[in-house]
Amino acid sequence: MSAHKNIYIGMLGCGVVGSQVAALLEKNNAELSTRAGAKLILKKIAVRDIKAAREGINQSLFTTDAQSVIDDSEIDIIIEVMGGIDPARELILAAIKNGKSVITANKALLALHGADLFTAADNKGVDLYYEAAVAGAIPIIRPMRESLVGDQITRVMGIVNGTTNYILTKMDEEGRAFADVLKEAQSLGYAEADPTADVEGIDAASKAAIIAGLAFHSRVSVDDVYREGISSITADDVAVAKTMNHVIKLLAIAELTSDDRISVRVHPTLIPRSHPLAAVRNAFNAVFVEAKSAGQLMFYGPGAGGAPTASAILGDVVAVARHRVSDSVGPRESDYADRAIAPIGDTKTQFLIRLNVADKPGVLAAIAQVFAKEGVSIQTVRQSGRGNDAELIVVSHGATEEALSSTVSALSKMDIVTKVESVLRVLGSQS
Ligand code: HSE
């Protein structure tokens, strides 16, 4: 290899992902350096506990002084895999200020403070790359930022959280309850001891914000994302979806509204079994992109894990190192469109509403009248059970969340409605 310079790398954090990055950078160094056009040298790794065993990594690289990594004038690239908001944010800003390019897997940080971080990187003329922050190994940031930049993306729908997809897959395939599957997932190490960030859609909301900003050339924060998790999905919901030949998935959806605003949300959604996203099982992730000229594209693969996430990070390392070699930077984050965020109340979607009702003449007519009064058009109605067990399953045409919420509130006040069992969104037409 005729490398004309050395590129020094510092890493912040060395957990499951960081240790794979270090190990693969060492193992595949000759090839990665050839691809980058410079010798890639991992110089320092900042960790909290220097004594923790990290097999196969040169112990002399470790330091507990993160600032010393940021301040090392020889280091060109910082890889941030420590996670969390602070001190990661201050360290990244300091690294940028010191002229270093940064690679991060930190979706929560980007979704909250992306605007400041990207502006700082632009002002300093360095790269801030983050392929690993959304859907692990799946290349989705670069395809959206570069390959599809000649097109107009209209909608992106992602299964971007492996834990919830694993739980929903088991509920669908084995007919089990949420709590039961969650417990098993925790004992197998698929779900965290505190599963809140995954099951309540918090992790997916960060990814949705990043995807929406990229797709629609605007700044989108996690605070703009409407969010519902999967903890209230019941075995009955899954069974009803099944009878309609649908499956329930936690989708992160970013779409352009008819008046050119951004609707960005995370919620359980019934999708037809024939849709490509329905085939994404267990902990796998997938991102389904719809663009005006390209049509429909799907990116599929492992969304988490040490080696898969390290693959995305090392792709960024080589890309950023190439820029350093040619004294350039990659494409800047683009926010020129500055589109407004549509409030959830304005979002149009199809709904499935399950109602426990009195089983007597006139009930259906009275219920249909409530829908009509709120301007929500009904697509199908089905009754299951009889007498005290009667349940009506209503699927609406596209309606706004606001109209739907008024309908549900009116239904729940009716004497003939014992309970509104559940309200779920259905992937379908907006009209
Ligand atoms: N906890 C995430 C998941 C992976 O279950 O997919 C990291 O974002």
Side-chain angles (χ1 to χ4, degrees):
M1 187 191 67
S2 60
H4 44 88
K5 70 188 274 192
N6 291 335
I7 297 281
Y8 289 94
I9 299 165
M11 191 156 75
L12 307 176
C14 197
V16 176
V17 173
S19 51
Q20 283 294 321
V21 170
L24 291 168
L25 199 48
E26 169 73 23
K27 183 170 166 231
N28 302 327
N29 192 272
E31 203 162 3
L32 295 179
S33 296
T34 304
R35 291 176 192 172
K39 173 83 180 151
L40 301 176
I41 301 166
L42 181 56
K43 190 177 177 193
K44 285 182 182 162
I45 306 174
V47 288
R48 253 197 311 241
D49 176 9
I50 217 153
K51 290 195 205 85
R54 294 170 187 95
E55 239 173 79
I57 304 171
N58 181 350
Q59 272 300 119
S60 69
L61 300 183
F62 292 111
T63 170
T64 51
D65 182 2
Q67 195 61 43
S68 74
V69 182
I70 302 303
D71 289 339
D72 186 322
S73 60
E74 209 174 27
I75 288 179
D76 299 280
I77 299 173
I78 294 291
I79 300 172
E80 185 271 307
V81 279
M82 64 198 298
I85 304 300
D86 288 316
R89 185 176 65 103
E90 292 101 329
L91 290 169
I92 289 176
L93 285 171
I96 290 171
K97 198 166 162 221
N98 287 347
K100 301 177 194 319
S101 286
V102 175
I103 293 160
T104 177
N106 195 331
K107 70 225 92 179
L109 178 61
L110 290 173
L112 201 57
H113 295 295
D116 292 347
L117 297 170
F118 290 126
T119 303
D122 282 353
N123 290 343
K124 193 69 189 180
V126 297
D127 286 321
L128 174 55
Y129 269 41
Y130 55 99
E131 186 62 71
V134 178
I138 303 174
I140 186 62
I141 302 302
R142 207 165 283 117
M144 285 177 63
R145 188 175 53 205
E146 298 178 36
S147 320
L148 288 165
V149 75
D151 207 331
Q152 284 165 288
I153 295 175
T154 50
R155 180 163 70 167
V156 183
M157 299 187 290
I159 294 173
V160 289
N161 183 270
T163 306
T164 44
N165 202 48
Y166 175 86
I167 293 171
L168 290 171
T169 303
K170 292 284 172 203
M171 289 177 75
D172 178 59
E173 294 181 359
E174 297 171 14
R176 290 159 62 197
F178 168 80
D180 177 31
V181 181
L182 172 61
K183 214 176 196 176
E184 182 196 76
Q186 284 171 315
S187 70
L188 293 171
Y190 292 144
E192 306 270 351
D194 177 0
T196 314
D198 291 317
V199 301
E200 298 307 340
I202 298 166
D203 172 75
S206 291
K207 294 163 181 168
I210 295 171
I211 286 173
L214 254 182
F216 304 127
H217 304 276
S218 301
R219 294 277 187 241
V220 179
S221 144
V222 70
D223 298 330
D224 296 322
V225 182
Y226 174 80
R227 172 175 63 79
E228 273 176 38
I230 65 162
S231 55
S232 58
I233 299 294
T234 64
D236 283 348
D237 291 328
V238 173
V240 166
K242 231 173 182 171
T243 63
M244 294 164 54
N245 218 14
H246 280 55
V247 59
I248 300 179
K249 295 289 190 189
L250 183 70
L251 293 190
I253 301 175
E255 68 184 338
L256 276 189
T257 61
S258 53
D259 59 358
D260 204 42
R261 289 181 296 167
I262 298 171
S263 170
V264 56
R265 53 201 200 268
V266 170
H267 51 64
T269 311
L270 271 79
I271 60 177
R273 282 191 191 266
S274 56
H275 193 284
L277 284 170
V280 180
R281 296 174 61 245
N282 296 327
F284 281 93
N285 282 199
V287 184
F288 191 83
V289 180
E290 295 172 349
K292 281 197 176 154
S293 304
Q296 299 181 323
L297 312 160
M298 188 158 98
F299 302 80
Y300 169 87
T309 310
S311 163
I313 289 174
L314 289 168
D316 280 353
V317 167
V318 172
V320 169
R322 284 172 175 163
H323 300 155
R324 290 260 155 180
V325 169
S326 60
D327 209 9
S328 62
V329 283
R332 300 155 66 99
E333 288 313 305
S334 151
D335 61 353
Y336 73 88
D338 198 20
R339 290 182 164 105
I341 306 294
I344 187 67
D346 291 2
T347 297
K348 266 187 138 182
T349 183
Q350 283 186 258
F351 293 91
L352 176 145
I353 303 151
R354 289 175 48 220
L355 303 167
N356 295 133
V357 293
D359 192 9
K360 58 185 187 192
V363 165
L364 190 54
I367 284 172
Q369 247 179 10
V370 171
F371 279 79
K373 185 165 168 279
E374 301 297 340
V376 177
S377 175
I378 292 173
Q379 185 184 62
T380 58
V381 185
R382 187 159 56 90
Q383 177 172 337
S384 72
R386 294 206 64 177
N388 290 339
D389 286 332
E391 178 172 277
L392 280 185
I393 299 159
V394 182
V395 178
S396 74
H397 284 294
T400 62
E401 295 260 350
E402 196 172 15
L404 191 276
S405 134
S406 310
T407 309
V408 171
S409 150
L411 289 169
S412 48
K413 287 184 195 128
M414 295 172 89
D415 289 342
I416 51 171
V417 174
T418 334
K419 192 174 173 205
V420 178
E421 271 297 336
S422 62
V423 179
L424 291 164
R425 295 159 185 91
V426 183
L427 180 63
S429 158
Q430 289 189 18
S431 54

